[in-house]
Amino acid sequence: MLEVQRLNVAYRESHVIKDVSFAVAERESVAIMGRNGMGKTTLLKSLIGMLPARSGSIRLRGTELSGLRGHARVRQGLAFVPQGRMIFPALTVEQNILTGTEYSRYRAVPDYIYACFPVLRDMRNRRGGNLSGGQQQMLAIARALVSDPRVLILDEPTEGIQPSIIKDIARTLNTLRKERGFAIVVSEQMLSFALDLADRFLVIDGGRIVHEEARETLDQEKVRSFLTV
Ligand SMILES: Nc1ncnc2c1ncn2[C@@H]1O[C@H](COP(=O)(O)OP(=O)(O)OP(=O)(O)O)[C@@H](O)[C@H]1O
């Protein structure tokens, strides 16, 4: 459904993403694993249109996305949960979620969002800046989901979050994926979280995909060896 072919992304003369190709099937969950600085954020930002690709193709259900602006990619079915969550601290929880509806059919927060994240319903009138890291992560996921994406892209969602909340987030994402039928592309350094969430693993090293494996056959030690310096 999502097909990335020979993608190259650079910051001026610094070539970061090198000929990356992969595909994601409908409802599939794919983890992109790699150490700091290996290019995960750069890759995801180029998928969503926050960084231009130098060359290559990003197709969603046959539609070429490279060259489209970010909001047009959201309309086509991509949604992004950025690293560090980037919620609006002065807006309420509800206002934060509603910022995600600009390109969606919803004008109010849909019931399923609050059903999946009851803590956000309880805190809907609080300012986003007053939430814990884990609650802010749920908020960033909720904001992305209100565009009804076909592919939810998450950049290191476990960063700075307590282990018990990380488990909750994995469980909720699995439920939502089943119920709403979207695919997931998640960048991670935490193998345990990725194992809870992903059907397939890609390892990125020096801007290239160097290893790919399904969860059933995953050689955890091999993946770990790419994650430790
Ligand atoms: N704005 C930028 N300008 C120039 N180089 C950059 C910029 N942002 C990132 N880079 C470089 O691109 C490479 C990949 O960085 P990127 O943030 O994509 O890695 P990452 O795997 O997501 O790491 P992290 O887990 O730290 O976010 C690094 O060498 C980084 O220094």
Side-chain angles (χ1 to χ4, degrees):
M1 176 201 31
L2 176 70
E3 281 171 55
V4 177
Q5 274 172 358
R6 304 204 65 175
L7 192 68
N8 285 280
V9 186
Y11 300 98
R12 292 174 181 269
E13 64 285 348
S14 164
H15 187 179
V16 174
I17 295 299
K18 296 166 185 156
D19 266 337
V20 164
S21 300
F22 63 96
V24 181
E26 300 268 357
R27 295 167 184 259
E28 191 185 21
S29 177
V30 173
I32 298 174
M33 312 288 300
R35 289 196 310 268
N36 282 336
M38 288 300 137
K40 303 181 297 298
T41 298
T42 304
L43 172 60
L44 299 189
K45 281 187 173 173
S46 71
L47 295 183
I48 194 73
M50 291 167 75
L51 284 172
R54 192 153 279 187
S55 64
S57 153
I58 302 163
R59 282 211 191 89
L60 184 63
R61 302 183 124 206
T63 302
E64 180 60 57
L65 301 185
S66 51
L68 295 185
R69 304 275 292 272
H71 60 81
R73 298 188 198 201
V74 172
R75 278 211 189 89
Q76 291 293 331
L78 298 186
F80 187 49
V81 180
Q83 188 170 22
R85 310 176 267 283
M86 306 297 169
I87 59 134
F88 301 104
L91 298 186
T92 66
V93 165
E94 183 139 315
Q95 287 167 339
N96 264 282
I97 300 173
L98 289 173
T99 62
T101 60
E102 196 175 350
Y103 305 107
S104 95
R105 61 197 171 96
Y106 301 113
R107 289 297 161 260
V109 178
D111 290 341
Y112 82 87
I113 295 277
Y114 281 147
C116 277
F117 299 108
V119 65
L120 297 182
R121 182 195 284 129
D122 297 344
M123 300 183 111
R124 65 183 178 278
N125 295 320
R126 297 256 200 110
R127 281 173 196 267
N130 293 337
L131 270 56
S132 71
Q135 290 162 345
Q136 289 186 357
Q137 189 59 269
M138 293 178 203
L139 179 54
I141 294 169
R143 178 180 59 188
L145 285 175
V146 289
S147 61
D148 271 344
R150 292 194 177 283
V151 186
L152 181 67
I153 301 172
L154 305 106
D155 193 4
E156 292 202 42
T158 64
E159 197 182 55
I161 294 185
Q162 276 176 271
S164 63
I165 309 286
I166 290 173
K167 279 269 169 206
D168 284 349
I169 290 176
R171 207 173 304 124
T172 306
L173 281 172
N174 278 327
T175 308
L176 279 163
R177 172 161 73 113
K178 220 176 277 163
E179 285 177 3
R180 311 294 302 174
F182 53 77
I184 290 177
V185 176
V186 59
S187 89
E188 254 312 318
Q189 295 194 57
M190 189 185 277
L191 186 55
S192 58
F193 176 77
L195 283 165
D196 281 344
L197 202 61
D199 306 316
R200 198 150 52 86
F201 292 73
L202 307 178
V203 177
I204 187 166
D205 197 54
R208 293 182 195 277
I209 306 281
V210 293
H211 188 68
E212 177 176 352
E213 208 161 346
R215 180 177 42 205
E216 296 82 65
T217 56
L218 188 74
D219 179 347
Q220 291 191 25
E221 283 317 306
K222 178 146 192 184
V223 173
R224 270 204 190 91
S225 72
F226 283 110
L227 298 177
T228 46
V229 188

